Amino acid sequence: MGDNAVIWAVIPARYAATRLPGKPLVPIAGKPMIQQVWERVRQASRVGRVLVATDDERIRSAVAGFGGEAVMTRADHRSGTERVTEVAASSAADIFINVQGDEPLVSPQAIDALAEAISSDEAVQLATLAVPLKRPGDIMDPHICKVVRDFDENALYFSRAPIPWVRDSADKIRAQHLKHLGLYAYRRETLLEFETLPPGELERIEQLEQLRWLENGFKMRVALTEYDSVSVDVPEDVARVEKLIREQAADLNLDKSN
């Protein structure tokens, strides 16, 4: 398959977010958030098609309004993965990349790195990304998901806990802690298995859906990136993201002037 793989990106988007209702349509720097995400995903060179998967006519209409492509999916999905799976069931792409719809600063380069991680090795059935943690406080933060990998760069475990735990801190052991990013790539036939997989006890305890794959015996490749995600979960996040967008635009203009 390799470089000839047909790769689509799907952005699941639902209106009824608990902490920020109507989140995909919240204005971010003058555009609906879903448009900010869509425009960045479109810049990824490895992605042939970008779809927004929604169950809400308001989101579908907004996407059509800025020239994007949206597909309507069922309203009873419990996760974005299930929504992407519905799209894959009636589509012919080889690989699907699940892009979170609440990350308006998603990096096109990170998406391409993820596409490379899965398409360059036929043995890889699903893949995700991680970035090294630099702030000590983030290691202990239960809101930040951590991941540890085996020798083949596959996920051993995901956790809200600080893994690996440095037991003998007096020995000044330097451990690499990785933050898991919520970007996933799946081969179509693997993704279609998702809804048949029973949730496990670890998934229930940690409340991390990606553990379902590991508990059911799948291997998930974890590629490293320098890109760090910034999500919009509560109203206060909007101003923070808009500030970052302005800073990125200023840096881009500075580079062009040089």
Side-chain angles (χ1 to χ4, degrees):
M1 192 179 294
D3 291 336
N4 295 321
V6 177
I7 303 176
W8 291 3
V10 182
I11 309 169
R14 67 187 186 96
Y15 194 88
T18 304
R19 290 182 290 178
L20 188 56
K23 184 161 64 170
L25 302 184
V26 168
I28 302 283
K31 300 176 182 178
M33 179 159 60
I34 193 67
Q35 182 175 354
Q36 294 279 6
V37 177
W38 182 85
E39 289 179 352
R40 287 184 176 250
V41 178
R42 286 272 295 172
Q43 295 174 35
S45 62
R46 299 294 302 273
V47 173
R49 188 178 182 185
V50 182
L51 299 171
V52 174
T54 187
D55 60 358
D56 194 284
E57 176 57 32
R58 289 165 290 189
I59 295 174
R60 189 210 63 78
S61 179
V63 172
F66 62 71
E69 185 178 4
V71 293
M72 296 297 291
T73 51
R74 302 197 317 268
D76 61 344
H77 290 309
R78 294 163 294 181
S79 69
T81 308
E82 290 184 1
R83 205 171 297 282
V84 177
T85 301
E86 182 183 344
V87 175
S90 58
S91 305
D94 302 309
I95 292 169
F96 291 85
I97 296 180
N98 181 351
V99 181
Q100 305 297 319
D102 59 2
E103 295 189 2
L105 293 172
V106 62
S107 163
Q109 293 77 21
I111 294 171
D112 282 334
L114 181 59
E116 174 66 18
I118 191 170
S119 64
S120 62
D121 186 343
E122 289 285 347
V124 178
Q125 295 299 303
L126 59 159
T128 190
L129 293 176
V131 61
L133 282 171
K134 297 180 175 63
R135 295 189 296 267
D138 289 346
I139 297 171
M140 304 300 295
D141 188 343
H143 298 292
I144 294 177
C145 177
K146 276 73 69 173
V147 61
V148 286
R149 306 187 299 170
D150 65 16
F151 291 151
D152 295 322
E153 300 181 348
N154 295 318
L156 282 170
Y157 192 59
F158 298 91
S159 181
R160 300 182 185 278
I163 53 173
W165 177 258
V166 181
R167 178 181 176 183
D168 297 320
S169 57
D171 291 341
K172 300 187 184 305
I173 295 173
R174 294 181 62 85
Q176 184 183 56
H177 291 87
L178 300 176
K179 173 184 177 181
H180 175 233
L181 302 179
L183 285 168
Y184 299 91
Y186 316 90
R187 294 191 187 275
R188 181 178 182 272
E189 61 274 15
T190 300
L191 179 58
L192 294 181
E193 291 190 51
F194 181 74
E195 290 186 294
T196 71
L197 302 178
E201 185 71 1
L202 296 175
E203 177 187 351
R204 184 188 67 80
I205 293 171
E206 294 260 16
Q207 295 185 28
L208 295 173
E209 181 190 88
Q210 60 269 36
L211 287 172
R212 188 178 310 181
W213 294 103
L214 303 191
E215 290 187 87
N216 281 279
F218 286 83
K219 289 187 178 296
M220 183 182 296
R221 181 63 50 86
V222 181
L224 295 187
T225 178
E226 288 302 311
Y227 157 75
D228 195 358
S229 62
V230 180
S231 62
V232 175
D233 298 310
V234 295
E236 292 75 21
D237 291 335
V238 173
R240 181 166 64 103
V241 168
E242 288 183 326
K243 179 175 181 291
L244 291 170
I245 289 175
R246 289 194 298 270
E247 290 173 352
Q248 288 186 359
D251 289 342
L252 183 60
N253 290 334
L254 183 62
D255 289 341
K256 287 180 179 179
S257 64
N258 291 335

PDB file of all heavy atoms in Angstrom, residues 30-55:
ATOM      1  N   GLY A  30     -12.538  34.798  14.490  1.00  0.00           N
ATOM      2  CA  GLY A  30     -13.409  35.201  13.393  1.00  0.00           C
ATOM      3  C   GLY A  30     -13.974  34.077  12.548  1.00  0.00           C
ATOM      4  O   GLY A  30     -14.688  34.351  11.577  1.00  0.00           O
ATOM      5  N   LYS A  31     -13.678  32.823  12.896  1.00  0.00           N
ATOM      6  CA  LYS A  31     -14.197  31.688  12.145  1.00  0.00           C
ATOM      7  C   LYS A  31     -14.752  30.649  13.108  1.00  0.00           C
ATOM      8  O   LYS A  31     -14.269  30.537  14.235  1.00  0.00           O
ATOM      9  CB  LYS A  31     -13.084  31.031  11.305  1.00  0.00           C
ATOM     10  CG  LYS A  31     -12.435  31.935  10.273  1.00  0.00           C
ATOM     11  CD  LYS A  31     -11.290  31.204   9.583  1.00  0.00           C
ATOM     12  CE  LYS A  31     -10.584  32.104   8.579  1.00  0.00           C
ATOM     13  NZ  LYS A  31      -9.434  31.404   7.944  1.00  0.00           N
ATOM     14  N   PRO A  32     -15.754  29.859  12.674  1.00  0.00           N
ATOM     15  CA  PRO A  32     -16.193  28.747  13.526  1.00  0.00           C
ATOM     16  C   PRO A  32     -15.017  27.803  13.792  1.00  0.00           C
ATOM     17  O   PRO A  32     -14.174  27.593  12.921  1.00  0.00           O
ATOM     18  CB  PRO A  32     -17.267  28.050  12.682  1.00  0.00           C
ATOM     19  CG  PRO A  32     -17.681  29.054  11.659  1.00  0.00           C
ATOM     20  CD  PRO A  32     -16.483  29.920  11.400  1.00  0.00           C
ATOM     21  N   MET A  33     -14.958  27.256  14.990  1.00  0.00           N
ATOM     22  CA  MET A  33     -13.830  26.396  15.339  1.00  0.00           C
ATOM     23  C   MET A  33     -13.667  25.250  14.352  1.00  0.00           C
ATOM     24  O   MET A  33     -12.544  24.886  13.987  1.00  0.00           O
ATOM     25  CB  MET A  33     -13.985  25.846  16.758  1.00  0.00           C
ATOM     26  CG  MET A  33     -12.848  24.930  17.179  1.00  0.00           C
ATOM     27  SD  MET A  33     -12.655  24.745  18.946  1.00  0.00           S
ATOM     28  CE  MET A  33     -14.241  24.070  19.401  1.00  0.00           C
ATOM     29  N   ILE A  34     -14.765  24.668  13.890  1.00  0.00           N
ATOM     30  CA  ILE A  34     -14.669  23.551  12.972  1.00  0.00           C
ATOM     31  C   ILE A  34     -13.986  23.966  11.666  1.00  0.00           C
ATOM     32  O   ILE A  34     -13.281  23.171  11.038  1.00  0.00           O
ATOM     33  CB  ILE A  34     -16.074  22.935  12.695  1.00  0.00           C
ATOM     34  CG1 ILE A  34     -15.940  21.590  11.996  1.00  0.00           C
ATOM     35  CG2 ILE A  34     -16.952  23.901  11.917  1.00  0.00           C
ATOM     36  CD1 ILE A  34     -15.315  20.514  12.830  1.00  0.00           C
ATOM     37  N   GLN A  35     -14.151  25.232  11.280  1.00  0.00           N
ATOM     38  CA  GLN A  35     -13.468  25.729  10.083  1.00  0.00           C
ATOM     39  C   GLN A  35     -11.967  25.855  10.322  1.00  0.00           C
ATOM     40  O   GLN A  35     -11.159  25.519   9.436  1.00  0.00           O
ATOM     41  CB  GLN A  35     -14.040  27.081   9.645  1.00  0.00           C
ATOM     42  CG  GLN A  35     -13.402  27.630   8.364  1.00  0.00           C
ATOM     43  CD  GLN A  35     -14.054  28.918   7.877  1.00  0.00           C
ATOM     44  OE1 GLN A  35     -15.061  29.362   8.441  1.00  0.00           O
ATOM     45  NE2 GLN A  35     -13.487  29.522   6.851  1.00  0.00           N
ATOM     46  N   GLN A  36     -11.582  26.336  11.508  1.00  0.00           N
ATOM     47  CA  GLN A  36     -10.162  26.431  11.831  1.00  0.00           C
ATOM     48  C   GLN A  36      -9.499  25.057  11.746  1.00  0.00           C
ATOM     49  O   GLN A  36      -8.399  24.903  11.196  1.00  0.00           O
ATOM     50  CB  GLN A  36      -9.985  27.016  13.245  1.00  0.00           C
ATOM     51  CG  GLN A  36     -10.425  28.462  13.406  1.00  0.00           C
ATOM     52  CD  GLN A  36      -9.374  29.443  12.918  1.00  0.00           C
ATOM     53  OE1 GLN A  36      -8.351  29.058  12.356  1.00  0.00           O
ATOM     54  NE2 GLN A  36      -9.610  30.722  13.136  1.00  0.00           N
ATOM     55  N   VAL A  37     -10.186  24.043  12.297  1.00  0.00           N
ATOM     56  CA  VAL A  37      -9.640  22.680  12.259  1.00  0.00           C
ATOM     57  C   VAL A  37      -9.564  22.192  10.823  1.00  0.00           C
ATOM     58  O   VAL A  37      -8.530  21.671  10.368  1.00  0.00           O
ATOM     59  CB  VAL A  37     -10.502  21.727  13.111  1.00  0.00           C
ATOM     60  CG1 VAL A  37      -9.972  20.295  13.019  1.00  0.00           C
ATOM     61  CG2 VAL A  37     -10.539  22.183  14.566  1.00  0.00           C
ATOM     62  N   TRP A  38     -10.647  22.340  10.083  1.00  0.00           N
ATOM     63  CA  TRP A  38     -10.725  21.850   8.697  1.00  0.00           C
ATOM     64  C   TRP A  38      -9.631  22.475   7.837  1.00  0.00           C
ATOM     65  O   TRP A  38      -8.969  21.762   7.063  1.00  0.00           O
ATOM     66  CB  TRP A  38     -12.100  22.170   8.127  1.00  0.00           C
ATOM     67  CG  TRP A  38     -12.345  21.682   6.729  1.00  0.00           C
ATOM     68  CD1 TRP A  38     -12.773  20.448   6.339  1.00  0.00           C
ATOM     69  CD2 TRP A  38     -12.179  22.446   5.517  1.00  0.00           C
ATOM     70  NE1 TRP A  38     -12.880  20.392   4.967  1.00  0.00           N
ATOM     71  CE2 TRP A  38     -12.528  21.597   4.434  1.00  0.00           C
ATOM     72  CE3 TRP A  38     -11.776  23.748   5.249  1.00  0.00           C
ATOM     73  CZ2 TRP A  38     -12.471  22.022   3.119  1.00  0.00           C
ATOM     74  CZ3 TRP A  38     -11.718  24.175   3.933  1.00  0.00           C
ATOM     75  CH2 TRP A  38     -12.069  23.311   2.878  1.00  0.00           C
ATOM     76  N   GLU A  39      -9.413  23.778   7.976  1.00  0.00           N
ATOM     77  CA  GLU A  39      -8.413  24.448   7.152  1.00  0.00           C
ATOM     78  C   GLU A  39      -7.007  23.927   7.432  1.00  0.00           C
ATOM     79  O   GLU A  39      -6.185  23.791   6.520  1.00  0.00           O
ATOM     80  CB  GLU A  39      -8.475  25.965   7.374  1.00  0.00           C
ATOM     81  CG  GLU A  39      -9.724  26.612   6.775  1.00  0.00           C
ATOM     82  CD  GLU A  39      -9.794  28.109   7.012  1.00  0.00           C
ATOM     83  OE1 GLU A  39      -8.945  28.628   7.782  1.00  0.00           O
ATOM     84  OE2 GLU A  39     -10.686  28.759   6.441  1.00  0.00           O
ATOM     85  N   ARG A  40      -6.718  23.619   8.674  1.00  0.00           N
ATOM     86  CA  ARG A  40      -5.395  23.100   9.006  1.00  0.00           C
ATOM     87  C   ARG A  40      -5.217  21.666   8.507  1.00  0.00           C
ATOM     88  O   ARG A  40      -4.146  21.302   8.021  1.00  0.00           O
ATOM     89  CB  ARG A  40      -5.153  23.186  10.510  1.00  0.00           C
ATOM     90  CG  ARG A  40      -4.905  24.623  10.972  1.00  0.00           C
ATOM     91  CD  ARG A  40      -4.570  24.708  12.433  1.00  0.00           C
ATOM     92  NE  ARG A  40      -4.258  26.081  12.793  1.00  0.00           N
ATOM     93  CZ  ARG A  40      -3.039  26.519  13.120  1.00  0.00           C
ATOM     94  NH1 ARG A  40      -2.026  25.684  13.142  1.00  0.00           N
ATOM     95  NH2 ARG A  40      -2.852  27.778  13.447  1.00  0.00           N
ATOM     96  N   VAL A  41      -6.257  20.866   8.634  1.00  0.00           N
ATOM     97  CA  VAL A  41      -6.162  19.490   8.151  1.00  0.00           C
ATOM     98  C   VAL A  41      -5.968  19.476   6.640  1.00  0.00           C
ATOM     99  O   VAL A  41      -5.224  18.645   6.097  1.00  0.00           O
ATOM    100  CB  VAL A  41      -7.414  18.686   8.558  1.00  0.00           C
ATOM    101  CG1 VAL A  41      -7.331  17.258   8.009  1.00  0.00           C
ATOM    102  CG2 VAL A  41      -7.564  18.649  10.076  1.00  0.00           C
ATOM    103  N   ARG A  42      -6.602  20.406   5.946  1.00  0.00           N
ATOM    104  CA  ARG A  42      -6.475  20.492   4.489  1.00  0.00           C
ATOM    105  C   ARG A  42      -5.034  20.762   4.052  1.00  0.00           C
ATOM    106  O   ARG A  42      -4.660  20.452   2.923  1.00  0.00           O
ATOM    107  CB  ARG A  42      -7.374  21.611   3.971  1.00  0.00           C
ATOM    108  CG  ARG A  42      -8.855  21.271   3.968  1.00  0.00           C
ATOM    109  CD  ARG A  42      -9.265  20.603   2.686  1.00  0.00           C
ATOM    110  NE  ARG A  42      -9.130  21.497   1.543  1.00  0.00           N
ATOM    111  CZ  ARG A  42      -9.272  21.127   0.277  1.00  0.00           C
ATOM    112  NH1 ARG A  42      -9.524  19.859  -0.002  1.00  0.00           N
ATOM    113  NH2 ARG A  42      -9.148  21.997  -0.709  1.00  0.00           N
ATOM    114  N   GLN A  43      -4.229  21.322   4.943  1.00  0.00           N
ATOM    115  CA  GLN A  43      -2.841  21.631   4.603  1.00  0.00           C
ATOM    116  C   GLN A  43      -1.932  20.400   4.681  1.00  0.00           C
ATOM    117  O   GLN A  43      -0.791  20.445   4.221  1.00  0.00           O
ATOM    118  CB  GLN A  43      -2.305  22.711   5.535  1.00  0.00           C
ATOM    119  CG  GLN A  43      -2.986  24.060   5.389  1.00  0.00           C
ATOM    120  CD  GLN A  43      -2.518  25.050   6.437  1.00  0.00           C
ATOM    121  OE1 GLN A  43      -1.357  25.055   6.841  1.00  0.00           O
ATOM    122  NE2 GLN A  43      -3.417  25.889   6.913  1.00  0.00           N
ATOM    123  N   ALA A  44      -2.424  19.305   5.249  1.00  0.00           N
ATOM    124  CA  ALA A  44      -1.621  18.084   5.342  1.00  0.00           C
ATOM    125  C   ALA A  44      -1.457  17.485   3.943  1.00  0.00           C
ATOM    126  O   ALA A  44      -2.442  17.199   3.260  1.00  0.00           O
ATOM    127  CB  ALA A  44      -2.280  17.088   6.295  1.00  0.00           C
ATOM    128  N   SER A  45      -0.229  17.269   3.531  1.00  0.00           N
ATOM    129  CA  SER A  45       0.028  16.830   2.156  1.00  0.00           C
ATOM    130  C   SER A  45      -0.344  15.369   1.916  1.00  0.00           C
ATOM    131  O   SER A  45      -0.586  14.977   0.776  1.00  0.00           O
ATOM    132  CB  SER A  45       1.508  17.042   1.814  1.00  0.00           C
ATOM    133  OG  SER A  45       2.343  16.270   2.666  1.00  0.00           O
ATOM    134  N   ARG A  46      -0.420  14.554   2.972  1.00  0.00           N
ATOM    135  CA  ARG A  46      -0.697  13.131   2.808  1.00  0.00           C
ATOM    136  C   ARG A  46      -2.188  12.806   2.803  1.00  0.00           C
ATOM    137  O   ARG A  46      -2.576  11.659   2.581  1.00  0.00           O
ATOM    138  CB  ARG A  46      -0.019  12.334   3.935  1.00  0.00           C
ATOM    139  CG  ARG A  46       1.489  12.455   3.983  1.00  0.00           C
ATOM    140  CD  ARG A  46       2.144  11.835   2.760  1.00  0.00           C
ATOM    141  NE  ARG A  46       1.808  10.439   2.600  1.00  0.00           N
ATOM    142  CZ  ARG A  46       2.472   9.440   3.178  1.00  0.00           C
ATOM    143  NH1 ARG A  46       3.527   9.702   3.942  1.00  0.00           N
ATOM    144  NH2 ARG A  46       2.123   8.188   2.988  1.00  0.00           N
ATOM    145  N   VAL A  47      -3.028  13.788   3.082  1.00  0.00           N
ATOM    146  CA  VAL A  47      -4.474  13.560   3.194  1.00  0.00           C
ATOM    147  C   VAL A  47      -5.167  13.931   1.887  1.00  0.00           C
ATOM    148  O   VAL A  47      -5.045  15.053   1.396  1.00  0.00           O
ATOM    149  CB  VAL A  47      -5.071  14.376   4.357  1.00  0.00           C
ATOM    150  CG1 VAL A  47      -6.588  14.280   4.365  1.00  0.00           C
ATOM    151  CG2 VAL A  47      -4.496  13.909   5.682  1.00  0.00           C
ATOM    152  N   GLY A  48      -5.881  12.976   1.319  1.00  0.00           N
ATOM    153  CA  GLY A  48      -6.536  13.213   0.040  1.00  0.00           C
ATOM    154  C   GLY A  48      -7.914  13.834   0.151  1.00  0.00           C
ATOM    155  O   GLY A  48      -8.388  14.472  -0.794  1.00  0.00           O
ATOM    156  N   ARG A  49      -8.566  13.649   1.288  1.00  0.00           N
ATOM    157  CA  ARG A  49      -9.927  14.152   1.436  1.00  0.00           C
ATOM    158  C   ARG A  49     -10.183  14.433   2.914  1.00  0.00           C
ATOM    159  O   ARG A  49      -9.733  13.679   3.778  1.00  0.00           O
ATOM    160  CB  ARG A  49     -10.929  13.123   0.916  1.00  0.00           C
ATOM    161  CG  ARG A  49     -12.385  13.591   0.838  1.00  0.00           C
ATOM    162  CD  ARG A  49     -13.237  12.464   0.243  1.00  0.00           C
ATOM    163  NE  ARG A  49     -14.628  12.851   0.088  1.00  0.00           N
ATOM    164  CZ  ARG A  49     -15.595  12.019  -0.310  1.00  0.00           C
ATOM    165  NH1 ARG A  49     -15.293  10.757  -0.595  1.00  0.00           N
ATOM    166  NH2 ARG A  49     -16.841  12.430  -0.432  1.00  0.00           N
ATOM    167  N   VAL A  50     -10.889  15.523   3.191  1.00  0.00           N
ATOM    168  CA  VAL A  50     -11.212  15.889   4.569  1.00  0.00           C
ATOM    169  C   VAL A  50     -12.727  15.955   4.721  1.00  0.00           C
ATOM    170  O   VAL A  50     -13.401  16.675   3.975  1.00  0.00           O
ATOM    171  CB  VAL A  50     -10.595  17.247   4.955  1.00  0.00           C
ATOM    172  CG1 VAL A  50     -10.907  17.575   6.425  1.00  0.00           C
ATOM    173  CG2 VAL A  50      -9.099  17.255   4.715  1.00  0.00           C
ATOM    174  N   LEU A  51     -13.255  15.188   5.669  1.00  0.00           N
ATOM    175  CA  LEU A  51     -14.694  15.138   5.907  1.00  0.00           C
ATOM    176  C   LEU A  51     -14.993  15.525   7.350  1.00  0.00           C
ATOM    177  O   LEU A  51     -14.276  15.133   8.266  1.00  0.00           O
ATOM    178  CB  LEU A  51     -15.242  13.729   5.671  1.00  0.00           C
ATOM    179  CG  LEU A  51     -15.094  13.121   4.280  1.00  0.00           C
ATOM    180  CD1 LEU A  51     -15.501  11.657   4.315  1.00  0.00           C
ATOM    181  CD2 LEU A  51     -15.957  13.877   3.288  1.00  0.00           C
ATOM    182  N   VAL A  52     -16.057  16.278   7.536  1.00  0.00           N
ATOM    183  CA  VAL A  52     -16.600  16.513   8.874  1.00  0.00           C
ATOM    184  C   VAL A  52     -17.772  15.553   9.049  1.00  0.00           C
ATOM    185  O   VAL A  52     -18.681  15.520   8.210  1.00  0.00           O
ATOM    186  CB  VAL A  52     -17.063  17.973   9.057  1.00  0.00           C
ATOM    187  CG1 VAL A  52     -17.747  18.153  10.408  1.00  0.00           C
ATOM    188  CG2 VAL A  52     -15.879  18.924   8.931  1.00  0.00           C
ATOM    189  N   ALA A  53     -17.736  14.757  10.108  1.00  0.00           N
ATOM    190  CA  ALA A  53     -18.811  13.801  10.378  1.00  0.00           C
ATOM    191  C   ALA A  53     -19.635  14.321  11.554  1.00  0.00           C
ATOM    192  O   ALA A  53     -19.120  14.474  12.659  1.00  0.00           O
ATOM    193  CB  ALA A  53     -18.236  12.427  10.704  1.00  0.00           C
ATOM    194  N   THR A  54     -20.900  14.604  11.319  1.00  0.00           N
ATOM    195  CA  THR A  54     -21.735  15.217  12.341  1.00  0.00           C
ATOM    196  C   THR A  54     -23.126  14.602  12.341  1.00  0.00           C
ATOM    197  O   THR A  54     -23.514  13.893  11.405  1.00  0.00           O
ATOM    198  CB  THR A  54     -21.816  16.747  12.133  1.00  0.00           C
ATOM    199  OG1 THR A  54     -22.511  17.336  13.232  1.00  0.00           O
ATOM    200  CG2 THR A  54     -22.541  17.076  10.826  1.00  0.00           C
ATOM    201  N   ASP A  55     -23.868  14.896  13.399  1.00  0.00           N
ATOM    202  CA  ASP A  55     -25.275  14.484  13.449  1.00  0.00           C
ATOM    203  C   ASP A  55     -26.185  15.697  13.579  1.00  0.00           C
ATOM    204  O   ASP A  55     -27.364  15.560  13.895  1.00  0.00           O
ATOM    205  CB  ASP A  55     -25.510  13.516  14.621  1.00  0.00           C
ATOM    206  CG  ASP A  55     -25.168  14.151  15.964  1.00  0.00           C
ATOM    207  OD1 ASP A  55     -24.716  15.317  15.976  1.00  0.00           O
ATOM    208  OD2 ASP A  55     -25.345  13.497  17.002  1.00  0.00           O
TER     209      ASP A  55
END
